[in-house]
Amino acid sequence: MTPHPDIRDLSLEELTAYLRSVDAEPFRADQVFQWIYQKGAWGFDAMTNVPKGLRDRLKKDLVLKTNEIAQKLVSEDGTTKFLFDLHDHEKIESVLIPTATRTTACISTQAGCKFGCKFCASGIGGWKRNLSCAEIVTQVLHVKEEALKHKRPLTNIVFMGTGEPLDNFINLMKAVRIINADKGINIGARHITISTVGVVPKIRELAQEGLQVELAISLHGYDNPSRDVLMPVNKKYPFDELIAACRDYVRKTNRQITFEYILIKDVTCTPHAVASLKKAFKGIICKMNLIPYNPVSEFGHQTPTGKEMTAFRDSLEDSGVHATIRTPRGKDVNAACGQLRHAHQ
Ligand code: SAH
């Protein structure tokens, strides 16, 4: 182990192994996990059913601290955006999104983003680094704490903050398992969504993980040329390869996939686009989440009118593709999809 690792970088199995190595009973791992992930402990001294000697040992070997909250912005719709200042002063954002039926945490997986999609603010400052497992789960803990202040237990996690989750695969998988564990944050796998730009080999790897998580694909193009223009990743993993990987994923996991499709006026929200999508998605059982483009000042795009967007949705639905329009949340505090960015604004 590196000196003073963060205890939240350890899986339950790793924590158990560590406790064995210091001659503590393995069941202490469950207790410690519950203190951190269920009872909101931000320090070892809070763990009152753990013997003092062991707490001292934990303090000596491991760290447990908050992500520093640099800013907290509350939108008029109740969406709350956190800006965290990490130990090396990289900044990341997380969002708490309350709705009538859910309380969702939108979590970042990287500081910055290397994928440079031509509508998303997160890529503008470039990529800085992967987040550790601890930095990922600690965002969830902060959002959960805030939600509980409003008597709203956290119900859902979406990895739709800055960065590309599947480009930080190992830390993501570890974090997902901690979030999902019944001794951990205890959120059902089906309530955890991983969203990807379409890193094809990692989609195939994810299918092997045996997790019942939701997979969302940021599609955004209606065919190969249009996706090429909007998402540079398409040059590496073209449209057809992505769709083929999705078909295989569904076959292997028996899970439905959600496709995210951004509606940009005169670019992706056109009759030609809808016709092309209908062709590509013939026979694929999936959900299509239509995301109205949220303005990012660096890009010249515009949001289509409500009428254009509903016509687009209705046309997809007519052809048997189940489509819904996502309501933007937290736009006034730049917390909506595509508005999270690396640098503090
Ligand atoms: N890198 C992953 C995780 C980020 S998810 C991914 O791309 O899937 C963020 C979601 O918001 C993605 O579906 C993204 O395409 C979408 N998005 C990005 N910029 C947007 C914008 N300006 N308006 C609306 N949605 C946007």
Side-chain angles (χ1 to χ4, degrees), residues 119-120 160-161 163-164 195-197 218 220 260 291 293-294 337-338:
F119 43 80
C120 180
M160 296 187 183
E164 166 52 37
S195 180
T196 176
V197 291
S218 287
H220 307 317
E260 295 160 285
I291 316 178
Y293 168 71
N294 293 313
C337 295

Side-chain angles (χ1 to χ4, degrees), residues 102 155-159 173 175-182 185-194 206 209-216 249 255-256:
R102 300 172 174 192
T155 59
N156 291 70
I157 304 288
V158 295
F159 287 101
M173 287 300 107
V176 164
R177 290 198 160 92
I178 291 174
I179 293 165
N180 179 225
D182 53 0
I185 300 178
N186 197 14
I187 292 183
R190 289 168 188 225
H191 293 186
I192 302 173
T193 301
I194 296 173
L206 182 64
E209 289 282 328
L211 288 166
Q212 296 285 302
V213 290
E214 298 287 321
L215 178 63
Y249 183 92
R255 310 278 306 143
Q256 220 186 83

Side-chain angles (χ1 to χ4, degrees), residues 259-304:
F259 288 89
E260 295 160 285
Y261 184 85
I262 193 164
L263 295 172
I264 305 175
K265 193 176 176 65
D266 300 332
V267 179
T268 61
C269 188
T270 65
H272 171 62
V274 89
S276 178
L277 278 179
K278 283 181 184 179
K279 222 165 88 192
F281 280 83
K282 213 168 175 176
I284 303 184
I285 300 168
C286 66
K287 288 177 275 184
M288 187 79 76
N289 213 329
L290 303 173
I291 316 178
Y293 168 71
N294 293 313
V296 172
S297 56
E298 285 85 345
F299 306 112
H301 303 307
Q302 285 175 341
T303 316

